[in-house]
């Protein structure tokens, strides 16, 4: 059906992805690093490119930047796979998929991008559409109407700062127009008093829209968020956030940590946040 180049340095994962996509009818070429991926792309002129972010030598982000600056690949659809795709990837790739990758999710994303390429249309992945999804908002509302004890959630957030080593933490619920802080520790006073921030100020919009973690190592180096009040006024430099999913799969909120120092949040931070999603959801579901 289509020609796909997969760049993945883990041979077992590369074999799995190749098998899944081949079984879906596609011709798959694998490459163990960014440099060889670029060679394969030049040779095969693929219909779709799938990039792991962390590879030896050139990262997936480096490869994506090269692809977008080359006429022949500037419009080729690209999927990035990562445990925590950098925020900068959003301007370079069409879809980010969180690791560990769900094979069905990958095939569906690939098929959607390939179909859109044939018709010349761009698939709808915009944040606004996801934020106003009625079923998602009903799921968020269900959590908001529970008589949760803020003190319990605040203690959880405090513990989160201890285990991540990042000084500010929050459990949020995301509506269509605001990010509501359900529990927090160390947040700027004005955020605590307001009870949250507008969605357009927060990277959590990406988390909700794409159901992926977000990692910002230094907000001042990120054009999208450098001027956002959450960062510019509060001085937040480093940020990590992961999605909180309802039992039905809707992204109802996030678990996030932040620091006024750059580089504090890392992929290890994201992995720690992942490990705390279940207990956070448990507290949101049953405290009261």
């Amino acid at each position: 059906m289509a020609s796909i180049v997969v760049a993945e340095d883990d041979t077992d994962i590369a074999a799995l992805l190749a098998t899944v996509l081949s079984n879906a009818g596609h011709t798959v070429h694998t490459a163990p690093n960014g440099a060889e991926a670029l060679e394969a792309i030049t040779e095969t002129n693929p219909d779709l490119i799938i990039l792991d972010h962390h590879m030896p030598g050139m990262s997936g982000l480096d490869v994506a930047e090269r692809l977008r600056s080359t006429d022949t690949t500037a419009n080729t659809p690209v999927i990035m796979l990562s445990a925590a795709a950098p925020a900068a990837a959003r301007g370079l790739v069409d879809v980010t998929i969180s690791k560990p990758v769900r094979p069905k999710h990958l095939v569906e994303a690939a098929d959607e991008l390939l179909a859109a390429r044939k018709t010349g249309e761009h698939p709808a992945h915009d944040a606004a559409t996801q934020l106003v999804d009625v079923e998602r908002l009903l799921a968020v509302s269900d959590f908001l109407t529970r008589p949760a004890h803020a003190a319990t959630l605040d203690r959880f957030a405090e513990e989160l700062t201890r285990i991540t080593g990042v000084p500010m933490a929050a459990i949020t619920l995301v509506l269509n127009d605001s990010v509501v802080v359900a529990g927090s520790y160390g947040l700027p006073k004005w955020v605590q008093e307001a009870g949250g921030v507008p969605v357009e100020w927060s990277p959590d919009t990406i988390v909700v829209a794409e159901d992926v973690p977000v990692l910002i190592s230094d907000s001042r180096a990120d054009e999208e968020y450098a001027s956002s009040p959450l960062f510019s006024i509060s001085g937040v430099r480093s940020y990590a956030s992961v999605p909180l999913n309802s039992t039905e799969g809707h992204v109802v909120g996030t678990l996030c940590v932040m620091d006024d120092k750059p580089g504090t949040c890392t992929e290890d931070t994201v992995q720690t946040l992942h490990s705390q999603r279940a207990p956070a959801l448990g507290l949101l579901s049953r405290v009261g």
Side-chain angles (χ1 to χ4, degrees), residues 199-286:
V199 291
E200 59 268 23
W201 291 6
S202 174
D204 287 350
T205 304
I206 305 171
V207 180
V208 171
E210 302 182 15
D211 194 8
V212 295
V214 163
L215 174 62
I216 299 174
S217 180
D218 186 356
S219 62
R220 293 185 187 175
D222 189 287
E223 293 181 4
E224 185 168 4
Y225 291 106
S227 60
S228 168
L230 179 62
F231 296 96
S232 61
I233 295 176
S234 299
V236 171
R237 297 283 297 275
S238 188
Y239 192 97
S241 182
V242 299
L244 293 177
N245 302 81
S246 68
T247 53
E248 297 80 16
H250 301 296
V251 185
V252 294
T254 70
L255 209 54
C256 60
V257 292
M258 60 199 87
D259 194 359
D260 56 9
K261 297 185 178 72
T264 307
C265 296
T266 66
E267 289 210 3
D268 286 341
T269 309
V270 172
Q271 292 305 318
T272 300
L273 290 176
H274 274 304
S275 73
Q276 296 303 305
R277 292 198 299 172
L281 279 165
L283 289 175
L284 281 170
S285 299
R286 61 182 170 80

Side-chain angles (χ1 to χ4, degrees), residues 18-283:
T19 299
V20 167
L21 293 166
S22 296
N23 288 343
H26 303 298
T27 300
V28 183
H29 308 271
T30 60
N33 54 58
E36 291 189 40
L38 288 172
E39 291 179 8
I41 291 164
T42 300
E43 292 173 2
T44 64
N45 188 27
D47 302 298
L48 173 68
I49 300 163
I50 299 175
L51 303 172
D52 179 32
H53 175 47
H54 283 283
M55 295 185 290
M58 297 179 70
S59 69
L61 192 64
D62 294 332
V63 175
E65 288 176 342
R66 186 79 64 86
L67 295 173
R68 292 310 184 218
S69 65
T70 304
D71 290 342
T72 55
T73 55
N75 297 313
T76 304
V78 177
I79 295 174
M80 177 171 284
L81 311 177
S82 177
R90 294 185 65 240
L92 296 169
V93 306
D94 298 272
V95 175
T96 56
I97 296 179
S98 181
K99 284 187 169 183
V101 178
R102 301 190 298 270
K104 182 181 178 182
H105 186 189
L106 178 65
V107 172
E108 288 175 349
D111 288 346
E112 184 178 358
L113 287 172
L114 290 166
R117 191 184 195 201
K118 285 184 179 179
T119 61
E121 298 177 355
H122 195 281
H125 289 294
D126 59 293
T129 300
Q130 295 299 321
L131 289 177
V132 299
D133 178 78
V134 174
E135 292 186 358
R136 190 194 76 81
L137 288 174
L138 287 173
V140 176
S141 177
D142 182 48
F143 282 101
L144 284 171
T145 56
R146 301 179 191 217
H149 290 311
T152 303
L153 296 173
D154 289 345
R155 285 194 295 272
F156 181 87
E158 182 177 7
E159 177 64 10
L160 200 58
T161 66
R162 188 189 67 78
I163 63 177
T164 61
V166 184
M168 294 179 272
I171 305 166
T172 77
L173 292 168
V174 181
L175 292 166
N176 61 313
D177 58 357
S178 61
V179 177
V180 179
V181 176
S184 69
Y185 181 80
L187 294 189
K189 186 176 180 180
W190 67 271
V191 176
Q192 295 182 53
E193 291 178 347
V197 297
V199 291
E200 59 268 23
W201 291 6
S202 174
D204 287 350
T205 304
I206 305 171
V207 180
V208 171
E210 302 182 15
D211 194 8
V212 295
V214 163
L215 174 62
I216 299 174
S217 180
D218 186 356
S219 62
R220 293 185 187 175
D222 189 287
E223 293 181 4
E224 185 168 4
Y225 291 106
S227 60
S228 168
L230 179 62
F231 296 96
S232 61
I233 295 176
S234 299
V236 171
R237 297 283 297 275
S238 188
Y239 192 97
S241 182
V242 299
L244 293 177
N245 302 81
S246 68
T247 53
E248 297 80 16
H250 301 296
V251 185
V252 294
T254 70
L255 209 54
C256 60
V257 292
M258 60 199 87
D259 194 359
D260 56 9
K261 297 185 178 72
T264 307
C265 296
T266 66
E267 289 210 3
D268 286 341
T269 309
V270 172
Q271 292 305 318
T272 300
L273 290 176
H274 274 304
S275 73
Q276 296 303 305
R277 292 198 299 172
L281 279 165
L283 289 175

